[in-house]
């Protein structure tokens, strides 16, 4: 048998395989080198330009009938570079739109919420509107403070001062005091709402995000307000049984004055709130000679009332006394004495125009030098 002799030459196929392996290894090394260079570039860039961190925002939650009659003062308040520190939500009647016909301020353009409800004074629909506003505002994770404002509210200071005041504490500002008057608390609310947790206060609160989420998620206290807080007795023909109505047994609890403070008290959270409102309202009607200014509603400031003296007198308030609890609340910010109020109501449009004309409202930073 003859043996095949080795010629001493390499097989051409082995040469091709070896060349392919060399090219593949070189390609992989090149890719790795490219990735390393890209990563080094990104790392160097991150050291030069740190990532942008969104500053916490304030959600301004307006409850309005239709238009915002005082939008001119709020437009001045929001003007300037605020570094995206605020957002705006407006609850108006269902179907009302803030377009170029209904508002002249770019800050309120298309800021209406689309799931609004019809609001009736003294009914639970008012707190339903508040809960809807909170639900919409909570979608933005940057919103950390939630302020309720009426369509007759005005700011007393510029945005920078207001922002720093609110962000100087993690607590909410909720007017909350024991309600000792008869007729507001309905015993049928027990045991879900024990009488010892029944609180009264202004509906114009400022909530932190934690407390705003509690209000939005509440499915225990709110239904009781819907069930037991009624303002009017049904007419004769609507009742199943005829006969006189004993009005002394009716409970007109005015939900918006009780809901938030009662909810937080029931959850044992009063230690986490500043128990006062930041919105001034004049309820002292005893000295008023005008019968139109007496009754359930607070004083409305008209054009003749709108003077620098009025604004300064509100700004000068530095403490609040709560008669039912024999408690005096001295107002502070960052541990130092501070004005009690950042906002005030109820002002008419002519009154605000006069205040702006006389520069009584320092709502722009350049007007006060406050930052």
């Amino acid at each position: 048998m003859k043996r095949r002799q080795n010629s001493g030459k390499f097989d051409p196929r082995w040469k091709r395989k070896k060349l392919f392996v060399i090219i593949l290894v070189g390609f992989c090394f090149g890719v790795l080198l490219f990735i390393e260079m890209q990563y080094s570039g990104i790392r160097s860039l991150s050291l030069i330009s740190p990532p942008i961190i969104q500053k916490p925002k304030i959600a301004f939650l307006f409850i309005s009938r239709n238009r915002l009659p005082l939008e001119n003062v709020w437009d001045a308040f929001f003007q300037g570079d605020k570094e995206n520190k605020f957002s705006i939500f407006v609850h108006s009647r269902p179907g009302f739109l803030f377009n170029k016909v209904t508002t002249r301020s770019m800050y309120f353009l298309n800021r209406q919420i689309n799931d609004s409800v019809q609001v009736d004074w003294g009914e639970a629909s008012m707190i339903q509107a508040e809960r809807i506003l909170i639900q919409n505002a909570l979608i933005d994770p940057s919103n950390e403070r939630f302020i309720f404002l009426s369509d007759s509210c005005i700011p007393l200071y510029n945005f920078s001062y207001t922002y720093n005041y609110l962000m100087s504490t993690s607590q909410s500002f909720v007017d909350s005091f024991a309600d000792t008057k008869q007729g507001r608390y309905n015993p049928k609310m027990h045991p879900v709402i024990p009488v010892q947790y029944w609180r009264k206060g202004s509906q114009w609160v400022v909530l932190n995000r934690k407390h705003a989420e509690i209000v939005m998620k509440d499915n225990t206290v709110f239904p009781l307000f819907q069930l037991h807080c009624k303002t009017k007795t049904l007419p004769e023909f609507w009742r199943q049984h005829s006969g006189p109505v004993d009005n002394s047994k009716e409970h007109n609890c005015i939900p918006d004055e009780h809901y938030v403070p009662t909810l937080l008290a029931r959850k044992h959270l009063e230690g986490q709130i500043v128990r006062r409102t930041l919105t001034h309202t004049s309820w002292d009607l005893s000295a008023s000679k005008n019968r139109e200014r007496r009754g359930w509603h607070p004083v409305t400031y008209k054009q003749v009332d709108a003077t620098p003296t009025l604004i300064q007198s509100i700004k000068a308030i530095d403490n609040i006394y709560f008669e039912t609890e024999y408690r005096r609340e001295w107002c502070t910010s960052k541990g130092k004495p501070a004005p009690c109020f950042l906002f005030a109501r109820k002002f008419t449009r002519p009154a605000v125009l006069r205040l702006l004309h006389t520069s009584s409202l320092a709502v722009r930073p350049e007007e006060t030098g406050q930052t």
Side-chain angles (χ1 to χ4, degrees), residues 103-329:
T103 181
R104 296 182 179 181
S105 172
M106 66 175 184
Y107 298 109
F108 294 103
L109 195 63
N110 299 320
R111 297 316 305 161
Q112 77 283 341
I113 59 176
N114 298 322
D115 50 350
S116 62
V117 296
Q118 182 63 44
V119 174
D120 296 312
W121 181 85
E123 297 284 349
S125 55
M126 177 64 79
I127 54 178
Q128 184 180 0
E130 294 176 354
R131 285 158 53 89
I132 293 173
L133 280 166
I134 288 177
Q135 184 177 14
N136 281 268
L138 282 171
I139 295 175
D140 185 346
S142 299
N143 287 329
E144 294 191 11
R145 299 293 184 277
F146 304 79
I147 305 177
F148 285 107
L149 299 160
S150 76
D151 55 8
S152 66
C153 279
I154 62 171
L156 297 174
Y157 299 92
N158 62 55
F159 180 88
S160 297
Y161 181 85
T162 303
Y163 183 90
N164 292 334
Y165 192 113
L166 295 177
M167 292 301 176
S168 67
T169 177
S170 60
Q171 294 178 301
S172 298
F173 291 85
V174 179
D175 196 29
S176 178
F177 54 92
D179 181 24
T180 58
K181 293 183 179 180
Q182 298 293 328
R184 290 290 185 96
Y185 176 76
N186 191 332
K188 293 181 180 179
M189 292 181 172
H190 188 83
V192 177
I193 306 177
V195 67
Q196 64 265 30
Y197 296 133
W198 183 249
R199 298 289 185 270
K200 184 180 179 182
S202 168
Q203 76 176 103
W204 312 113
V205 301
V206 179
L207 300 176
N208 61 27
R209 191 171 182 93
K210 172 185 174 181
H211 297 154
E213 289 176 344
I214 289 173
V215 172
M216 190 268 290
K217 295 177 181 178
D218 169 44
N219 57 9
T220 303
V221 175
F222 177 60
L224 284 185
F225 275 82
Q226 288 180 303
L227 181 62
H228 297 298
C229 291
K230 307 294 182 182
T231 57
K232 296 180 181 179
T233 302
L234 291 174
E236 182 72 28
F237 57 89
W238 279 89
R239 296 198 300 269
Q240 294 182 353
H241 305 285
S242 61
V245 177
D246 185 359
N247 292 325
S248 65
K249 295 182 179 180
E250 294 189 358
H251 299 271
N252 184 7
C253 76
I254 314 299
D256 49 272
E257 294 183 357
H258 293 273
Y259 173 63
V260 173
T262 298
L263 173 65
L264 296 182
R266 181 183 176 274
K267 290 185 173 292
H268 309 285
L269 295 173
E270 287 186 306
Q272 300 179 13
I273 66 175
V274 180
R275 295 175 63 189
R276 61 181 175 89
T277 180
L278 295 179
T279 300
H280 177 268
T281 305
S282 177
W283 291 97
D284 184 10
L285 310 181
S286 59
S288 176
K289 296 180 180 180
N290 187 346
R291 291 188 177 182
E292 294 180 358
R293 297 193 172 193
R294 300 176 185 268
W296 286 85
H297 301 285
V299 171
T300 296
Y301 295 113
K302 300 179 181 179
Q303 185 177 25
V304 66
D305 306 310
T307 64
T309 302
L310 170 65
I311 299 301
Q312 289 305 318
S313 67
I314 297 175
K315 288 184 174 183
I317 299 173
D318 60 359
N319 72 91
I320 305 171
Y321 183 69
F322 297 88
E323 294 182 2
T324 61
E325 297 181 343
Y326 305 102
R327 170 172 61 96
R328 186 175 298 277
E329 191 82 24

Side-chain angles (χ1 to χ4, degrees), residues 305-365:
D305 306 310
T307 64
T309 302
L310 170 65
I311 299 301
Q312 289 305 318
S313 67
I314 297 175
K315 288 184 174 183
I317 299 173
D318 60 359
N319 72 91
I320 305 171
Y321 183 69
F322 297 88
E323 294 182 2
T324 61
E325 297 181 343
Y326 305 102
R327 170 172 61 96
R328 186 175 298 277
E329 191 82 24
W330 291 93
C331 303
T332 62
S333 177
K334 299 180 181 179
K336 299 179 180 180
C340 289
F341 301 110
L342 299 179
F343 313 97
R345 59 187 296 268
K346 302 174 56 175
F347 285 82
T348 62
R349 181 175 174 82
V352 168
L353 291 175
R354 183 183 180 187
L355 291 172
L356 289 175
H357 180 71
T358 58
S359 298
S360 300
L361 292 177
V363 293
R364 296 188 181 92

